[in-house]
């Protein structure tokens, strides 16, 4: 199983970006899917997660600005980021708990996509 993240880039403060992360491989189903981020010199932190049933939760720092969603038929998770601030600058990683066709449940990470918020 592989997770491929995309959508990062350079954006001005107040701007928007949409991240995508697609899981591929021997997938039976995807359970919870999440986005984490890691700023330079900081620990990786949870930004948002979404369960297989669509329940979401967000870090306080992004509530009201970021929206996580998923397309389970495509095993893809999205992160819509609005009103971006310089402090949102980080490498963003997707994370998914997946049940493989061999009935094994494991957690996988994407490769990370850099988001830079700067004027």
């Amino acid at each position: 199983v592989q997770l491929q993240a995309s959508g990062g880039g350079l954006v001005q403060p107040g701007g928007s970006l949409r991240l995508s992360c697609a899981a591929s491989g021997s997938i039976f189903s995807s359970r919870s899917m999440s986005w984490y981020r890691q700023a330079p010199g900081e620990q990786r932190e949870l930004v948002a997660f979404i369960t297989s049933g669509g329940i979401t939760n967000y870090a306080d720092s992004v509530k009201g600005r970021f929206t996580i969603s998923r397309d389970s038929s495509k095993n893809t998770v999205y992160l819509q980021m609005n009103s971006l601030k310089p402090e949102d600058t980080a490498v963003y990683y997707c994370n998914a708990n997946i049940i493989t066709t061999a009935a094994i449940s494991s957690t996988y990470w994407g490769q990370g996509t850099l988001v830079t918020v700067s004027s």
Side-chain angles (χ1 to χ4, degrees):
V1 175
Q2 291 185 330
L3 300 185
Q4 181 67 46
S6 61
L10 173 64
V11 63
Q12 292 187 342
S16 299
L17 281 176
R18 188 192 194 210
L19 306 183
S20 300
C21 178
S24 61
S26 302
I27 299 170
F28 175 74
S29 67
S30 54
R31 301 169 73 178
S32 63
M33 304 184 83
S34 310
W35 287 98
Y36 286 74
R37 67 186 181 186
Q38 186 167 19
E42 302 289 334
Q43 291 189 336
R44 191 173 298 189
E45 63 173 354
L46 176 65
V47 175
F49 76 79
I50 183 167
T51 68
S52 57
I55 297 172
T56 60
N57 200 9
Y58 298 90
D60 287 343
S61 58
V62 306
K63 281 181 181 176
R65 301 188 297 121
F66 290 11
T67 302
I68 189 170
S69 61
R70 65 188 289 167
D71 184 338
S72 294
S73 67
K74 297 180 180 179
N75 294 310
T76 299
V77 63
Y78 306 96
L79 186 68
Q80 178 66 43
M81 305 185 294
N82 298 328
S83 302
L84 283 161
K85 304 175 181 180
E87 51 263 43
D88 294 318
T89 295
V91 178
Y92 284 71
Y93 298 90
C94 56
N95 169 290
N97 183 262
I98 288 173
I99 301 175
T100 69
T101 53
I104 297 172
S105 176
S106 295
T107 298
Y108 298 87
W109 290 90
Q111 84 284 10
T113 185
L114 176 63
V115 172
T116 303
V117 184
S118 175
S119 54

